[in-house]
Amino acid sequence: MGDLVVGLDIGTHKITTIVGEVRPEDIYIVGLGIEPSDGMKKGVVDNISALSTAISKSVRRAEKSSGLDIGRAYVSVSGSHIDSRSSRGVATIVGSRTVQAEDVEKALSVARSIDIPHSREILHVVPRSYTVDSQEGVINPIGMHCFRLEVDAHIITASTTSLANLEDAVESAGLLVDRFVLNPLAAGDAVLTVHEREMGAVVIDIGGGTTDLAIFIDGTVWHTAVIPHGGNDVTDDITHWMRVPFGLAEQVKLQKGHADANAVAEDEVFPVEPFGGEIMPVSRQHLAQVIEMCYEDIFEAVQIEIMRSGYSSQLRAGAIITGGGSQMPGYRDIASRSLKLPVRLAQPEKITGIADALKNPSYSTSVGLLRVGLELSSVIGGEQKAGPGIGLPVANWSRRMKEMFYRFLPQDD
Ligand SMILES: Nc1ncnc2c1ncn2[C@@H]1O[C@H](COP(=O)(O)OP(=O)(O)OP(=O)(O)O)[C@@H](O)[C@H]1O
Ligand SMILES: [Mg+2]
């Protein structure tokens, strides 16, 4: 067995710990712990001790199923505190020689030296493409002759306090954060084909607290965003409409929910019995209307974000939708109508070992974390921390450079 890595996906709805070996052809899963989340709201921490207890349960379960001690993990990050922008960096190559890894590092460090407030920090620096003298769109400049190397990078920033709260909760559960990984980068990795990534696609992860999106073009990430609405908002609206507790509204949503009111019979009525209350008849079509409106709001917000990115005309492979909320029947038309794109529903592929429970759209981010954690070693925001237990050894620079380019190397579909 090769190196094992750990992904800890801290969602608003559930916490998933996965122990696995990342192989070129698949991810071989040897340990798994899935527990309900607590202390999270809309992708950010709102109760550190409750969250820490929930993380601990998920990790202990993964330890039990793998028979291993877990010391550190790649940890998912979401929330509306995430922001992203483009930046360019230049390095001059002195003397007549070819581009080396150090030159790329220099150009990237210039790209990342953007003005950000003290309250924020850089989470990821993703190189999009390079310009080698006047030749634009170079994917891997290493080894090319050049005087002036320019990088076009996508810089993702996060609120320092939001990350610190998340890190505190993870550490209180007894493990170290290997590095943080933005949710939609992980989801994109788990569900996109190489073809889609090259053609241009938007990955939309409808979770409990947030809907995360990432635009992939020419094989890499061009834009990312987090929208603070997800499946919990759908349940909240049902709660208000029916005047029942959240748990009961969630049950009703999962059992009877539909996002296309026209597809539901007008006269279909089902009974709901609130705890300690009287049985009430509920019109399924009315329920569907409430849900439909919520999904319309979510996709409208997604569409605004796609337009804001400036890349709407480049999404030739369409929208790939995943996350727990993507399992609601009937929303597909809303999605393709709002986004004006072909839509595909996706779940993690190419997972082996004890993977059955993960073959569901809810786990795309959880699965993608393992590979992206390894790939995006160009993540800036603190050196990788050594810790006890399994996980990657501290990366050396050449390894980090290799990983930085990994995404640009051809992969099998
Ligand atoms: N079959 C289903 N139909 C409709 N919605 C569903 C279904 N299964 C799960 N959901 C909804 O999906 C949401 C949870 O999704 P997911 O597990 O992806 O969230 P999460 O990763 O914990 O949260 P987040 O990433 O937003 O922090 C909940 O709102 C839940 O009601
Ligand atoms: Mg999630």
Side-chain angles (χ1 to χ4, degrees):
M1 170 132 347
D3 282 341
L4 289 173
V5 292
V6 183
L8 174 62
D9 178 13
I10 303 176
T12 309
H13 192 71
K14 45 106 182 70
I15 297 179
T16 310
T17 308
I18 302 180
V19 185
E21 183 192 348
V22 176
R23 311 190 289 203
E25 68 287 2
D26 64 6
I27 298 177
Y28 181 69
I29 290 158
V30 301
L32 179 62
I34 302 168
E35 288 288 328
S37 186
D38 197 5
M40 289 288 283
K41 198 169 183 190
K42 295 201 172 292
V44 292
V45 183
D46 83 337
N47 181 334
I48 293 182
S49 93
L51 177 60
S52 176
T53 305
I55 292 173
S56 190
K57 283 185 190 161
S58 166
V59 171
R60 299 293 89 85
R61 196 177 276 275
E63 286 184 328
K64 213 168 162 197
S65 81
S66 63
L68 295 160
D69 285 335
I70 296 174
R72 54 187 197 271
Y74 298 129
V75 177
S76 67
V77 182
S78 185
S80 49
H81 62 100
I82 299 294
D83 199 4
S84 69
R85 63 162 101 167
S86 298
S87 178
R88 294 181 87 83
V90 177
T92 309
I93 308 332
V94 183
S96 128
R97 63 174 178 84
T98 57
V99 175
Q100 307 295 310
E102 294 73 32
D103 304 315
V104 174
E105 178 200 346
K106 205 167 142 204
L108 278 170
S109 69
V110 174
R112 75 182 294 272
S113 59
I114 50 170
D115 264 346
I116 50 169
H118 288 309
S119 57
R120 300 189 67 73
E121 59 192 78
I122 292 178
L123 188 61
H124 297 300
V125 176
V126 186
R128 284 200 288 228
S129 73
Y130 297 86
T131 303
V132 176
D133 291 338
S134 57
Q135 187 184 341
E136 291 181 0
V138 172
I139 299 298
N140 181 356
I142 288 190
M144 292 178 76
H145 289 275
C146 150
F147 291 108
R148 186 177 188 275
L149 174 70
E150 194 171 333
V151 63
D152 173 17
H154 179 57
I155 313 255
I156 299 164
T157 65
S159 143
T160 300
T161 48
S162 296
L163 290 186
N165 288 336
L166 202 54
E167 186 161 22
D168 279 358
V170 174
E171 289 186 353
S172 304
L175 56 162
L176 292 173
V177 177
D178 243 339
R179 60 173 55 96
F180 288 115
V181 177
L182 183 67
N183 268 14
L185 298 188
D189 196 270
V191 302
L192 283 186
T193 64
V194 175
H195 183 64
E196 286 169 335
R197 227 184 275 187
E198 287 294 334
M199 291 253 299
V202 55
V203 177
I204 302 164
D205 177 347
I206 309 174
T210 63
T211 295
D212 305 329
L213 64 101
I215 291 177
F216 288 76
I217 298 171
D218 289 345
T220 192
V221 179
W222 284 45
H223 184 80
T224 46
V226 175
I227 293 161
H229 300 293
N232 285 357
D233 296 278
V234 180
T235 310
D236 271 338
D237 281 9
I238 298 172
T239 299
H240 291 133
W241 172 65
M242 287 176 56
R243 296 169 198 247
V244 295
F246 186 90
L248 182 56
E250 175 77 8
Q251 252 181 43
V252 168
K253 179 180 90 169
L254 297 184
Q255 285 168 13
K256 296 285 180 187
H258 206 288
D260 181 357
N262 289 329
V264 173
E266 217 176 305
D267 54 357
E268 186 177 341
V269 172
F270 61 94
V272 170
E273 188 175 1
F275 183 71
E278 277 181 28
I279 293 181
M280 53 184 191
V282 175
S283 152
R284 189 160 180 228
Q285 196 173 58
H286 281 166
L287 173 70
Q289 280 164 354
V290 172
I291 295 173
E292 190 175 323
M293 278 196 289
C294 257
Y295 274 78
E296 277 170 357
D297 287 349
I298 290 173
F299 284 106
E300 194 178 310
V302 170
Q303 168 63 0
I304 289 170
E305 194 51 50
I306 292 175
M307 294 308 288
R308 201 175 73 88
S309 76
Y311 304 127
S312 60
S313 63
Q314 295 183 57
L315 306 175
R316 286 176 295 153
I320 288 76
I321 307 185
T322 193
S326 73
Q327 298 170 94
M328 174 62 69
Y331 74 86
R332 221 169 223 266
D333 281 352
I334 300 175
S336 54
R337 205 171 48 233
S338 313
L339 308 179
K340 299 176 189 66
L341 290 172
V343 165
R344 173 171 84 83
L345 174 63
Q347 65 181 37
E349 307 289 346
K350 297 184 193 165
I351 41 178
T352 51
I354 49 166
D356 284 353
L358 298 173
K359 289 179 180 164
N360 176 293
S362 304
Y363 299 104
S364 299
T365 297
S366 323
V367 169
L369 260 181
L370 275 71
R371 193 181 301 277
V372 172
L374 277 172
E375 282 178 8
L376 285 186
S377 289
S378 55
V379 171
I380 316 287
E383 283 304 303
Q384 192 176 35
K385 297 165 189 120
I390 55 176
L392 263 189
V394 176
N396 62 33
W397 179 244
S398 62
R399 182 181 176 113
R400 291 176 61 168
M401 291 308 293
K402 193 172 120 229
E403 287 160 357
M404 198 184 288
F405 289 110
Y406 183 94
R407 196 168 277 282
F408 303 134
L409 298 174
Q411 296 171 8
D412 289 335
D413 232 349

